[in-house]
Amino acid sequence: MSPPGGGQKVRLLKSALEEIQEENRVILFVDSYDVVFSSGPKELLKKFQQAKHRVVFSAETLIWPDRHLEDKHPHVREGKRFLGSGGFIGYAPNLKKMLSEWSGADSDSDQLFFTKIYINAEKRKSLNITLDNKCRLFQNLHGALDEVVLKFEDGRVRARNLIYDTLPVIIHGNGPTKLQINYLGNYIPNLWTFETGCTFCKEDPRPLSGLQKTEFPVVVIGIFIQQPTPFVSAFFERLFNLKYPKNRLKLFIYNKEYHHDRHVRSFLESHESEYQAVKLISPEEEIDPVAARNIAFDTCRDDIDCEFFFSIDVDVVIKNEDTLGILIELNKPFVAPMLTKPGRLWTNFWGALSADGFYARSEDYVDIVQGQRVGLWNVPYVSHIFLVKADALRTDLKEPDLFESATLDPDMAFCSKLRNKGIFMFVTNMDTFGRVLSTDNYQTNHLHNDLWQIFENPVEWEERYIHPNYSKIMKEDFVEMPCPDVYWFPILTELACDHFVEEMENFGQWSGGGNADTRIQGGYENVPTIDIHMNQVGYEKEWHKLLLDYIAPITEKMFPGYYTRAQFDLAFVVRYKPDEQPSLRPHHDASTFTINIALNRVGTDFQGGGCRFLRYNCSITSPRKGWAFMHPGRLTHYHEGLPVTEGVRYIAVSFVDP
């Protein structure tokens, strides 16, 4: 890593050769940490013998370390011209003779030493040296990345040189190609094949099954809240639901955002006592995120019982409750679950890096993301969530500046330090783990800001706010018809209902219930209610998407042949109270069809209420919380709101296609 150097390799080889006396003993020398073998000694010896020389060095496109020696290299008719010292093969006597001239220091360049021998025509001839010009034995990657591709064949994987159409036996990630050798090492020679899949993923596991709860490894979970993030309450619910003994977990929570203080406090009030320990850094302490992550690592380093540190950013959605156990059982110094963003090729890992250290797409990235290749992948960058062994934190990763860099973001700096320490970052897609939220455009000016996430995080929004039985409507006969052409079905969760009610009450600007209403076109409401319009709280676009995505399909099923774009002039939440406005006189709605969603529960939150359709003398007096009834607005369904006798009743009403 500190060029030129390498003299120790010559010294050690020279010493080792002294014990070898056989004239025909063939010696292979290769570097170690950055070399992958794609085949065995039989093929290697055959190709060496075909070279018809006593010593064969690997060849390179680039000359190093002395460019001034370029003209002294013999020209070749085809292939690479310059010597590479990271791999060579030859008969022991020839190698001994070649190394006999070495008297340099460990800090001297081994490549320069061998190059000077090679460019000396007399010595080259005396030692019978040649270069592996067409990469039949050795493939140096530096200066040749575009030449090399993976070749899958018969349960094995080779590196193929496209220029010379050769299959080199030894692949050397020399110079700044360490990430590429890591990439190739995910496959060559049989770590992952199309026939077998991953062959090493289950090696040396640390099984948890059969352990008593008191025998599980102690894990410090670091939770980081660095920016306003949607669905933080849901994050803590999922954290609590991880299938791992809570008395073997210690929580480190860093919260930079005052906005999320109530979410953290609510979780701790309910569950802090169930964990072995909890440390909270709150916004008042004004600790920056980099310092917080270092403190979190120290929390594990300094704890003799801590065996793993599990880092999770709060925008992570862990859907797999076994995630922590799965990662521990893989038994790697550093491993992360693959997370995605719905509908996108985004993940929490990079398959490759560009020359300046930023994102680049690897050849296998899309296949890994889409699950076409499943395994354990050595990658150059991981973010948002990872598990690291405490032993690694206490040894190779003990420096206090792991997240600091003059040019890189903290996460990129951290991954760079890991690579420099030789700690492989593995990401697994052998299980489905979850996703990462989008934090773009997240506003904090409402009471329940998550309600506004229907565009940015539609999957999470649906799971949180759409009734769990909604999907049955389209698949099963799940729609009821309590009155003629009145369809009744589940739409919102109880949490959604509560959030809409609380949001409106927090806004507080209820209409007076009079006929004069400046909020509507013309300024006159024939059948007024005490209400708040969706556009008053800035929810008209979100409400339209809800109607379009979740109501329109039901409309088209119930009213065959009618297609709606779910347009509305009026969408509002109505409040009925005995001492305010208990009921609503008979009327038609200014709509093609109307949606009426019950936002609280009869018998619990209020008494009385309901809706009566006069033409059919049919009433719905026990509306279910979160359920909607849909009916034609004009002509046929003349209706009235029945009196509320106790409590407060809330409904969300939409006049669709006016």
Side-chain angles (χ1 to χ4, degrees):
M1 295 294 289
S2 302
Q8 73 278 6
K9 294 187 285 186
V10 187
R11 172 176 56 81
L12 291 168
L13 178 60
K14 182 179 180 180
S15 174
L17 287 174
E18 291 174 359
E19 302 175 8
I20 297 174
Q21 303 302 322
E22 298 95 326
E23 290 289 318
N24 291 321
R25 173 69 64 89
V26 176
I27 304 298
L28 170 70
F29 175 88
V30 292
D31 285 353
S32 54
Y33 296 107
D34 53 3
V35 164
V36 174
F37 285 79
S38 63
S39 188
K42 184 176 180 180
E43 179 179 341
L44 185 71
L45 283 169
K46 179 181 178 181
K47 288 182 174 179
F48 169 58
Q49 290 163 355
Q50 289 172 342
K52 298 180 180 179
H53 281 72
R54 301 285 291 180
V55 179
V56 179
F57 272 86
S58 69
E60 297 193 47
T61 306
L62 307 173
I63 184 170
W64 187 86
D66 188 348
R67 291 182 301 152
H68 298 95
L69 298 178
E70 178 176 349
D71 292 340
K72 297 184 181 300
H73 280 73
H75 289 275
V76 296
R77 184 173 301 173
E78 184 183 8
K80 301 179 185 294
R81 182 180 166 203
F82 305 113
L83 177 144
S85 65
F88 54 88
I89 186 171
Y91 289 99
N94 298 69
L95 296 184
K96 282 185 176 182
K97 182 178 178 182
M98 180 175 67
L99 297 176
S100 64
E101 297 187 20
W102 174 259
S103 59
D106 286 359
S107 58
D108 290 341
S109 171
D110 60 323
Q111 179 132 326
L112 185 59
F113 169 71
F114 291 124
T115 296
K116 288 181 176 179
I117 293 175
Y118 174 69
I119 62 178
N120 184 310
E122 184 178 337
K123 292 180 179 179
R124 183 169 68 249
K125 182 177 180 180
S126 171
L127 294 168
N128 197 10
I129 298 175
T130 191
L131 300 187
D132 180 31
N133 305 100
K134 296 182 181 180
C135 304
R136 299 181 73 245
L137 291 88
F138 304 96
Q139 175 68 64
N140 290 307
L141 294 177
H142 188 31
L145 293 181
D146 294 338
E147 298 176 13
V148 181
V149 297
L150 290 172
K151 178 178 174 60
F152 295 88
E153 57 176 18
D154 302 327
R156 292 180 59 198
V157 188
R158 300 293 297 262
R160 178 188 175 202
N161 187 295
L162 294 172
I163 304 297
Y164 310 113
D165 195 21
T166 53
L167 299 175
V169 178
I170 296 164
I171 320 301
H172 181 203
N174 58 321
T177 64
K178 302 297 184 276
L179 299 185
Q180 187 70 4
I181 196 70
N182 288 350
Y183 164 74
L184 297 173
N186 283 325
Y187 297 94
I188 298 172
N190 59 3
L191 273 71
W192 192 97
T193 71
F194 284 106
E195 292 83 0
T196 63
C198 183
T199 63
F200 80 103
C201 291
K202 302 296 184 181
E203 287 182 359
D204 191 28
R206 179 173 180 167
L208 298 177
S209 59
L211 294 181
Q212 299 294 322
K213 288 186 176 182
T214 55
E215 298 174 323
F216 273 64
V218 172
V219 181
V220 172
I221 301 181
I223 300 146
F224 299 92
I225 308 173
Q226 296 182 200
Q227 61 185 346
T229 305
F231 303 107
V232 170
S233 294
F235 170 88
F236 281 110
E237 291 171 16
R238 288 186 290 266
L239 177 72
F240 182 76
N241 289 330
L242 284 177
K243 291 180 180 178
Y244 201 90
K246 291 179 177 53
N247 61 1
R248 307 298 287 172
L249 297 177
K250 300 182 180 183
L251 302 185
F252 175 95
I253 304 174
Y254 168 71
N255 178 25
K256 184 184 175 185
E257 295 295 328
Y258 284 95
H259 170 70
H260 292 307
D261 193 57
R262 61 190 174 100
H263 302 127
V264 176
R265 303 286 180 184
S266 175
F267 168 72
L268 293 180
E269 286 172 9
S270 300
H271 302 299
E272 180 174 5
S273 61
E274 299 178 57
Y275 293 91
Q276 190 178 125
V278 175
K279 177 177 176 60
L280 170 64
I281 295 180
S282 60
E284 295 86 358
E285 297 180 58
E286 297 184 346
I287 293 178
D288 71 80
V290 168
R293 291 185 184 269
N294 285 323
I295 295 170
F297 277 173
D298 283 339
T299 302
C300 179
R301 288 188 188 105
D302 299 340
D303 183 345
I304 192 172
D305 296 323
C306 178
E307 292 190 58
F308 293 92
F309 183 87
F310 188 34
S311 179
I312 320 175
D313 292 352
V314 78
D315 55 355
V316 166
V317 178
I318 300 178
K319 299 297 295 180
N320 190 332
E321 296 177 351
D322 296 313
T323 294
L324 179 54
I326 290 170
L327 298 180
I328 289 174
E329 289 189 328
L330 289 173
N331 198 26
K332 300 295 181 185
F334 185 103
V335 63
M338 188 188 80
L339 304 179
T340 60
K341 286 186 177 179
R344 297 170 57 183
L345 284 173
W346 187 98
T347 65
N348 62 317
F349 80 93
W350 296 349
L353 295 182
S354 64
D356 53 1
F358 289 87
Y359 172 82
R361 179 172 290 183
S362 60
E363 297 171 25
D364 57 359
Y365 180 80
V366 174
D367 283 345
I368 292 173
V369 175
Q370 295 180 341
Q372 303 301 313
R373 302 185 189 184
V374 174
L376 195 59
W377 310 99
N378 181 352
V379 299
Y381 171 88
V382 167
S383 65
H384 288 83
I385 180 171
F386 59 82
L387 181 78
V388 59
K389 284 187 175 181
D391 287 346
L393 291 178
R394 296 183 185 115
T395 54
D396 294 325
L397 301 176
K398 60 186 177 181
E399 289 85 352
D401 61 347
L402 293 175
F403 296 92
E404 296 174 9
S405 168
T407 57
L408 300 175
D409 291 339
D411 54 344
M412 296 170 65
F414 176 58
C415 293
S416 176
K417 301 282 177 64
L418 286 170
R419 296 194 301 269
N420 290 340
K421 292 292 184 180
I423 295 178
F424 289 160
M425 290 168 275
F426 288 101
V427 64
T428 171
N429 67 337
M430 293 187 287
D431 298 88
T432 300
F433 295 100
R435 54 185 178 267
V436 175
L437 296 172
S438 171
T439 57
D440 298 338
N441 305 316
Y442 182 66
Q443 304 297 319
T444 60
N445 53 336
H446 303 286
L447 179 64
H448 294 296
N449 299 281
D450 295 345
L451 278 174
W452 275 257
Q453 287 295 298
I454 190 171
F455 290 105
E456 299 293 342
N457 292 290
V459 175
E460 187 72 5
W461 189 94
E462 178 176 304
E463 290 184 359
R464 201 71 170 155
Y465 290 133
I466 294 299
H467 198 287
N469 287 332
Y470 173 82
S471 59
K472 296 181 180 180
I473 298 171
M474 307 306 291
K475 300 175 184 177
E476 306 172 20
D477 188 15
F478 205 75
V479 177
E480 301 178 21
M481 191 167 68
C483 298
D485 286 328
V486 177
Y487 300 101
W488 203 11
F489 53 87
I491 181 68
L492 297 179
T493 62
E494 293 206 4
L495 180 68
C497 295
D498 294 341
H499 281 190
F500 275 116
V501 169
E502 292 166 9
E503 195 66 46
M504 295 303 177
E505 288 291 1
N506 182 64
F507 181 72
Q509 297 180 29
W510 295 95
S511 65
N515 294 109
D517 193 339
T518 58
R519 299 172 302 169
I520 62 176
Q521 189 174 3
Y524 183 84
E525 172 58 65
N526 187 41
V527 188
T529 54
I530 292 179
D531 55 47
I532 294 174
H533 290 187
M534 291 297 179
N535 60 13
Q536 289 181 262
V537 295
Y539 205 75
E540 63 272 28
K541 292 180 180 178
E542 290 76 11
W543 191 256
H544 179 251
K545 183 167 177 61
L546 184 152
L547 295 177
L548 194 62
D549 289 356
Y550 299 101
I551 299 296
I554 301 171
T555 304
E556 292 158 21
K557 180 180 181 180
M558 296 300 107
F559 300 115
Y562 180 74
Y563 173 75
T564 177
R565 295 182 63 86
Q567 300 296 331
F568 62 89
D569 284 338
L570 290 177
F572 48 93
V573 172
V574 180
R575 183 173 74 184
Y576 289 114
K577 295 171 66 175
D579 59 352
E580 190 175 69
Q581 181 183 11
S583 61
L584 191 60
R585 66 178 175 81
H587 63 284
H588 284 296
D589 293 335
S591 66
T592 301
F593 66 94
T594 296
I595 302 297
N596 183 320
I597 306 173
L599 297 180
N600 59 348
R601 184 174 286 107
V602 65
T604 302
D605 303 311
F606 63 91
Q607 301 293 334
C611 182
R612 176 171 175 261
F613 295 92
L614 278 69
R615 172 176 291 189
Y616 310 105
N617 192 27
C618 180
S619 299
I620 303 175
T621 57
S622 56
R624 301 164 190 161
K625 185 176 181 180
W627 281 55
F629 61 82
M630 177 173 63
H631 62 83
R634 296 187 179 91
L635 297 178
T636 57
H637 283 64
Y638 195 58
H639 59 285
E640 64 180 334
L642 299 175
V644 171
T645 56
E646 289 184 28
V648 184
R649 179 190 178 205
Y650 297 93
I651 58 174
V653 180
S654 301
F655 294 167
V656 186
D657 296 345

